[in-house]
Amino acid sequence: MTTFLTYTLLGLVLGAVYFIAASGLVLTYNTSGIFNFAHGAQAMLGTFLFWQLKYDWGWPTLAALLVVIGLVGPLLGAALHALIMRGLRDTADVTKIIVTVAVLLGMVYLSQWIWNPDEARTVEMFFGADAKVTVLGVVVRYHEIVCLVAAAAIAIGLRVLFTRSRIGVVMRGSVDDPDLLRLNGHDPERAAMLSWALGSTLAVTAGVLIVPVGGGALEANMLTLLVIDAFAAAMFGRLRSIPRTFAGAMVLGLAATYVMGYLPASGPVTGNLRVSLPMIVLFVVLVVLPQDRLRGAAIRTRERYRVPTVRSAAVWGLVLVAVVYLYSLLLEDSGITTLTLGMTFAIIALSLTVLTGYAGELNLAPLSFGAVATIVAFHFGVSGSGLSAYLTPQGVLAGVAAAALVGGLIALPALRLRGLYLALATMAFGVFLSNMVLRDTTEHELFGVKFTLFPNGTLAVPPPKLGPLDLRDGQTFLMTATVLFALLGVALAALRNSGYGRRLAAMKDSPAATAMLGQDLVRLKLSVFMISAGIAGLGGVLMSAAAGSVSGENFTIMGSLALLMLVVVAGIGYISGALLGGLMSGVGATVLVGTFNDLALEHEAMSSIYSALAHLVMVGTALVGMGVGRNPSGFVHDIVESYRHTTKPVRYGGAAVGAVLYVLALTDVIGVWTFAIAVLCGVMLLPVIGRMLQEEGRRRTTPLELIGVDEPYTDQLRARLDRELGLPALPVTAEKGGARATA
């Protein structure tokens, strides 16, 4: 009985902390309409700051708590709303989600910059671990009592705030009908800012309380995901009900401790299940939630995408293959391998283009489907051994089919979910896969066959061999991946221009109208999910083969979120957006960070500066994602529009300069880095140069009213004046001896 009471108490304490975190989510969502995926990162950042004040600088506990919870927490939430969140009105769900994901990644990168991840840090319980009392034979520490009392006080306070106070009504009205709220003399933005300040305070409070309960050292990713477990508790109340959120948090905490206490301790299943349980509960809760009503009308957002024709997609696909081939001639073997990884990430990114860009559905774990395909291809498609091993076409196809099948199975119970709920469902699947499958290094036996999913925690995936095409050669692998991306891009362009693609676009704009026109939404969602998962699976297998060896760290939810963020930044509705987003994810940040780290090792006197630049690259990437709200269509849209107004001579001139630079790089007159930077700057500056030349040309053109005054009449000016006035053209004349003669 004492054991049961002990685990019950631990479960209640854990549930209390989950509730504190979940209540902040409920508060901000109810008052701004934005689900804050960065909630866990805010808790993590506050906890690290508390450690800095109390343990590194020696502040008293009370003073550190007052600064972190009473000052930093509210200011952090208010700043997020004022600088970022208030600009997300009239944007699609994916844009709102990606901005908060960018904030999450930025805070994680910032914490790793300030606090070295290689150094161990711990936070002790308030009043110390020895400050305790005994109740019914159960030891209760003062820190645990603080958690329970704080959760009860917050539950009562928020209940009163939402139901009995005027400010609570104003907060809810700021998202329900901000215009009506303004008519009644209230400022909805001020109310939303207040709710974000309170929500951030609750997140920081949860982070400071949960670390001593869970034990272990402070680590940015783990602490962020630990607080993200509170998402399941928030879903119990469907982001509206504080009492149901409280009940869900307690159920979640008790279930976690009972699993740890009563399941068999031997083997990794119990530990993995304990970590994965919140995500399992989250997925189940999302599936059994009452179904949302279909939207009756299309929601107008600021995202605008141009649909390419199949012909233009094919032409640009050929251009891409040619450009990659020419550029590969400048690279060494390591550079070719890195670029190959970038192209495989671009293939995975194409799965997001068809699913989110075309159909409006969300998947926060594209790398997880790549992991599924990799595991299947490794176990059923590797032929030979050692250096002569290769991946068979049958293995690649089996991996793609498995990923598509899993995508269908994940989508099937979640088919009635949209927007935020679907995003959370896919995130729950991604975290579950990382915790339960990718950590499984034990031997299993099924139908007399022994196997291990992840032997020794890694999978050595050899390059594929497709008939006479052996991808052991780096350049061959690169060109194969590029051709596959081009073919998939043309196929997606054809799909988008087909009747099926138009049905996907209609479902994205208005599911209710699409259903009224007789379209089967279940079939549409299921099919597009399977197509997307299959593409992600293909990219995952190729990525694993290009890397040679992969572990669970290659398929984490953080990697999936970073990839999705960069694709949205580039333009998730464009095939070129998938290309640039995938390259930035697989090549851009990796190359820059690796280069700065190498420079730091080579130049000890400048090591601190180079290390800071490496961290700045990661933080800067997240900052770009935070600005998506100002340009939700992505920067590819801006580039395309700017080049539409650039004259052909300017484009041809830019191409000629690029050709000259390439010849100089090919003959080693300039370096590859110099060539790449010069071309990148040229691509960005060419539209600016074109606009400057056009403006100069307009300035040099004589206004119509000054023809014959500032400039004498000529045949060209007369012809121009006739055109402007709509007069018929005169016969061509010639000047002879000062007299005009008709030719």
Coordinates of all heavy atoms in Angstrom, one line a residue, residues 29 37 48 90 106 121 135 150 189 223 277 287 378 391 395 415 452 487 498-499 508 549 564 566 610 615:
Y29 N -4.0 30.3 -26.2 CA -4.8 29.9 -27.3 C -6.2 30.5 -27.2 O -6.8 31.0 -28.3 CB -4.9 28.4 -27.4 CG -5.7 27.9 -28.6 CD1 -5.0 27.8 -29.8 CD2 -7.0 27.5 -28.5 CE1 -5.7 27.4 -31.0 CE2 -7.7 27.1 -29.7 CZ -7.0 27.0 -30.9 OH -7.7 26.6 -32.0
F37 N 3.7 26.5 -29.9 CA 4.6 25.4 -29.9 C 5.9 25.7 -29.2 O 6.7 24.8 -28.8 CB 4.9 24.9 -31.3 CG 3.9 24.0 -31.9 CD1 2.8 24.6 -32.5 CD2 4.0 22.7 -31.9 CE1 1.8 23.8 -33.1 CE2 3.0 21.9 -32.4 CZ 1.9 22.4 -33.0
F48 N 17.0 27.6 -17.4 CA 18.4 27.8 -17.5 C 18.8 29.2 -16.9 O 19.8 29.3 -16.2 CB 18.8 27.8 -19.0 CG 19.2 26.5 -19.5 CD1 18.3 25.7 -20.2 CD2 20.5 26.0 -19.3 CE1 18.7 24.5 -20.7 CE2 20.9 24.8 -19.8 CZ 20.0 24.0 -20.5
D90 N -4.9 36.8 -40.2 CA -5.2 36.5 -41.6 C -4.1 35.7 -42.3 O -3.8 35.9 -43.5 CB -5.4 37.8 -42.4 CG -6.5 38.7 -41.8 OD1 -7.5 38.1 -41.3 OD2 -6.4 39.9 -41.8
G106 N 14.7 28.8 -32.2 CA 15.6 29.9 -31.9 C 16.0 29.9 -30.4 O 17.1 30.2 -30.1
R121 N 24.6 20.4 -15.7 CA 23.9 21.3 -14.8 C 22.7 20.7 -14.2 O 22.0 20.0 -14.9 CB 23.5 22.6 -15.6 CG 24.6 23.4 -16.2 CD 24.1 24.5 -17.1 NE 25.2 25.3 -17.7 CZ 25.7 24.9 -18.9 NH1 25.2 23.9 -19.5 NH2 26.7 25.6 -19.4
V135 N 3.6 11.3 5.5 CA 2.1 11.2 5.6 C 1.7 9.8 5.2 O 1.9 9.4 4.1 CB 1.4 12.3 4.7 CG1 -0.1 12.2 4.8 CG2 1.9 13.7 5.1
A150 N 0.7 25.1 -5.9 CA 0.7 26.0 -7.0 C -0.3 25.6 -8.1 O -1.0 26.5 -8.7 CB 2.2 26.1 -7.6
E189 N -5.5 43.8 -28.7 CA -4.1 43.5 -28.7 C -3.5 43.6 -27.3 O -2.6 42.9 -27.0 CB -3.3 44.5 -29.7 CG -3.8 44.4 -31.1 CD -3.5 43.0 -31.7 OE1 -2.7 42.2 -31.2 OE2 -4.2 42.7 -32.7
L223 N 14.6 19.1 -22.1 CA 13.7 19.9 -21.3 C 12.5 20.5 -22.1 O 11.4 20.6 -21.7 CB 14.5 21.0 -20.6 CG 13.7 21.9 -19.7 CD1 12.9 21.1 -18.6 CD2 14.6 22.9 -19.0
L277 N 4.7 7.9 -23.3 CA 3.3 7.8 -22.9 C 2.5 9.1 -23.2 O 1.4 9.1 -23.7 CB 3.2 7.4 -21.4 CG 1.8 7.2 -20.9 CD1 1.1 6.1 -21.6 CD2 1.8 6.9 -19.4
V287 N -7.7 11.7 -31.4 CA -8.6 10.9 -32.3 C -10.0 10.8 -31.7 O -11.0 10.9 -32.5 CB -8.0 9.5 -32.4 CG1 -9.0 8.5 -33.0 CG2 -6.7 9.5 -33.2
F378 N 16.5 -1.3 -45.0 CA 17.7 -1.9 -44.4 C 17.5 -3.4 -44.2 O 18.4 -4.2 -44.4 CB 18.1 -1.2 -43.1 CG 19.2 -1.8 -42.4 CD1 20.5 -1.6 -42.7 CD2 18.9 -2.6 -41.3 CE1 21.6 -2.3 -42.0 CE2 20.0 -3.2 -40.6 CZ 21.3 -3.1 -41.0
L391 N 22.1 -1.6 -51.9 CA 20.7 -1.5 -51.6 C 20.0 -1.9 -52.9 O 20.2 -1.2 -53.9 CB 20.3 -0.2 -51.1 CG 18.9 0.0 -50.4 CD1 18.9 -0.9 -49.2 CD2 18.7 1.4 -50.0
G395 N 14.3 -3.2 -52.3 CA 14.4 -2.7 -51.0 C 13.9 -1.3 -50.9 O 13.2 -0.9 -50.0
L415 N -8.2 11.5 -40.0 CA -8.8 12.1 -41.2 C -9.7 13.2 -40.9 O -9.9 14.1 -41.7 CB -9.5 11.0 -42.0 CG -8.5 10.0 -42.8 CD1 -9.3 9.0 -43.5 CD2 -7.6 10.8 -43.8
T452 N 16.7 -7.2 -35.0 CA 16.9 -6.0 -34.2 C 16.6 -4.8 -35.0 O 17.2 -4.6 -36.1 CB 18.3 -5.9 -33.6 OG1 18.6 -7.1 -32.9 CG2 18.4 -4.7 -32.7
L487 N 12.1 14.9 -61.7 CA 10.9 14.1 -62.2 C 9.7 14.2 -61.2 O 8.6 14.3 -61.7 CB 11.4 12.6 -62.3 CG 12.4 12.3 -63.5 CD1 12.8 10.8 -63.4 CD2 11.8 12.6 -64.8
S498 N -4.1 18.8 -62.6 CA -5.1 17.9 -63.0 C -6.4 18.1 -62.2 O -6.4 19.0 -61.3 CB -4.6 16.4 -62.7 OG -4.4 16.2 -61.3
G499 N -7.4 17.3 -62.5 CA -8.6 17.4 -61.7 C -8.4 17.1 -60.3 O -9.0 17.7 -59.4
K508 N -8.5 22.5 -49.6 CA -7.7 23.4 -48.8 C -8.5 24.7 -48.6 O -8.5 25.3 -47.4 CB -6.4 23.8 -49.6 CG -5.5 24.8 -48.9 CD -4.3 25.0 -49.7 CE -3.4 26.1 -49.0 NZ -2.2 26.4 -49.8
S549 N 25.6 5.9 -42.8 CA 25.2 5.4 -41.5 C 24.4 6.4 -40.8 O 24.7 7.6 -40.7 CB 26.5 5.1 -40.6 OG 26.1 4.7 -39.3
L564 N 10.6 21.7 -42.0 CA 9.3 22.3 -42.3 C 9.4 23.8 -42.3 O 8.9 24.5 -43.1 CB 8.2 21.8 -41.3 CG 6.8 22.4 -41.5 CD1 6.3 22.1 -42.9 CD2 5.9 21.8 -40.4
L566 N 12.0 25.8 -42.8 CA 12.8 26.3 -43.9 C 12.0 26.2 -45.2 O 12.1 27.1 -46.1 CB 14.1 25.6 -44.0 CG 15.1 25.9 -42.9 CD1 16.3 25.0 -43.0 CD2 15.5 27.4 -42.9
Y610 N 34.8 32.8 -34.3 CA 34.3 31.8 -35.2 C 33.2 31.0 -34.6 O 32.2 30.6 -35.2 CB 35.4 31.0 -35.8 CG 36.3 31.7 -36.8 CD1 37.7 31.7 -36.6 CD2 35.8 32.4 -37.9 CE1 38.5 32.3 -37.5 CE2 36.6 33.0 -38.8 CZ 38.0 33.0 -38.6 OH 38.8 33.7 -39.4
H615 N 27.2 29.7 -34.0 CA 25.9 29.8 -33.3 C 25.0 30.8 -33.9 O 23.8 30.6 -33.9 CB 26.2 30.1 -31.8 CG 26.8 29.0 -31.0 ND1 26.1 27.8 -30.7 CD2 28.0 28.9 -30.5 CE1 26.9 27.0 -30.0 NE2 28.1 27.6 -29.9

